[in-house]
Amino acid sequence: MSWFYPTEFDVIVVGAGHAGCEAAHAAAKMGASTLLLTMNLDTIAKMSCNPAIGGTAKGHIVREIDALGGIMGKVADRTGIQFRMLNRSKGPAVWSPRAQSDKTAYSLEMKYVLENTKNLYIMQGTTENLIVEAGKIVGVTTQEGISYRAKAVVLSAGTFMQGLIHIGNINFGAGRAGDKPAIGISKSLLDLGFRLGRLKTGTPPRINKRSIDFSVMEEQPGEDDVYFSFDSKERKLPQLPCWITYTNDETKKIALENLKRSAMYAGFIKSVGPRYCPSFEDKVVRFADKERHQLFLEPEGIATNEIYVNGISTSLPFDVQYAMIRSISGLENAEILRPAYAIEYDFVTSGQLKMTLETKIVENLFCAGQINGTTGYEEAAGQGLIAGINAVRKVRGQDPFILLRSEAYLGVMIEDIISKELQEPYRMFTSRAEHRLVLRQDNADLRLREHGYHLGLISDEQYAKFKTKKETIKDQLAALGEKHRKFLCQENHTYKDLILKYPDVVKDHGEEINNQIEIDVQYAGYIKRQTSDIQKLEELDKIRLPLQFDYTSVKGLSNEAREVLKRVNPENLGQASRLIGISFAEISLLMVSLQK
């Protein structure tokens, strides 16, 4: 028998990874009494894999989180040890901020922020069971024999659900290296009628900095003008370089000769890993003609000698990892501090969540993060933010908060993971966003800060600063004549050049606003076209589909279309139109059926 904790919470968040931290912070910031339950208070926001935030498309998500009032971007700015803007040589739609973080500092800073958030209570406990009454979640029970009651629950269990680590032919239960798995949650979900699947991800070895010869490697310095947060430009820690080296024929030969000893190729791993981030043994098989692969040596912090070897994730045995690492230029005497490993874990398959991230099976139960089939800290944090917001709004009887894919990368990601049957862990790419020129990282605040303010996540002071920025951009754009615009649209001309040529009209508003005006003018035609396309598509998004719509009654639909529509149960025609296997003709049939 478990003992019921005397306080009933508005929201309980299970798991204090990157999804759980954002969910708990958002719910508490909105004024809801919130409990964050974690297996270990010392591993809040732990960076299990690469200690880095952002990157291609992921940087967009972090800036959207910040624009809405989340905390990942601010914590990353305070604890970063190298910042870079990726893809600067390409168009602004794909510019993406990335930071190498001090992994210990990041975790401690996040814990500090959460511990000092009003309405938020943090407790240590391993959730074993979900308490459901009459189809509605009412609380959770922990391994320690304590039951907590709540009006809503956000489940963000990461890779812990039935987590199983593989190193060659060795495997053992773990949520990540050094932490035990969560066993009871999977059983509880299955008993409630949820469908679960298995996915796999992995991490490379960490090596001792003192054992590396950096003199034969290429140094990769950081940049000074890159930040995630729109509110503050804090740089608290010393900045460190990363280093580049390459694998070679010997590295490749070692991997190929030991292929059958890989947990993946030996058949110990049954689930599928991410194609975009393959293990090294997968790389040498899939890209057989490639002579070498680039590796990034990235520091894990200021006060540690651990170096993350980005690009050589593997599930090969330790002795093979040892030989491969020592075959690489600069790593001939490398000491491996932590071996690479692969990890399998349970996730909730698609079609079981609403756009709010509330489950369709159990009312007031929300899922966020890798439990939904995604991979990456940023994707998890974004889902946590949306789930936390909607948990509070559901408890209060308010309308749900749903971001469309035409207004945020967060909208693209959520629609994708609830609609598409995932065959591998989902990662955000700029190519997934049809309107990426409009959904840039630099204008995330212009797109989303208004939402954050009305949700109660953005303060009056932050909002006033935002309004000033918005008005400044509007006024300066209005002041530009045709000659100014033509000048700025000429090749290699910048806003700074425009200031020098027309100082009477064009003012210096600081780099952030200057860049925004420059992009608006130079890409005006493309932006106008995409905005027009968005407006047309949003008409379909406004046409709601009943939750229990009978697709078998719609004459003319293919069997494939019926099967997909029944599995996903889309919330509107726009979402239905983007499902794989649904033609525009079938959308027309649905429109006719709805009119009837």
Side-chain angles (χ1 to χ4, degrees), residues 77-120:
D77 281 346
R78 293 172 197 154
T79 60
I81 53 179
Q82 191 200 78
F83 293 80
R84 295 179 66 232
M85 184 68 76
L86 305 187
N87 304 318
R88 276 196 196 264
S89 62
K90 301 177 182 177
V94 295
W95 295 348
S96 301
R98 181 187 188 272
Q100 193 69 22
S101 295
D102 183 306
K103 66 177 182 181
T104 302
Y106 185 93
S107 179
L108 287 173
E109 179 68 18
M110 184 65 79
K111 185 181 181 186
Y112 176 81
V113 170
L114 295 177
E115 285 178 339
N116 289 279
T117 298
K118 188 180 177 182
N119 305 313
L120 180 56

Side-chain angles (χ1 to χ4, degrees), residues 199-210:
L199 289 175
K200 168 237 159 190
T201 188
T203 190
R206 274 63 158 184
I207 58 179
N208 192 335
K209 180 180 180 180
R210 293 186 303 169

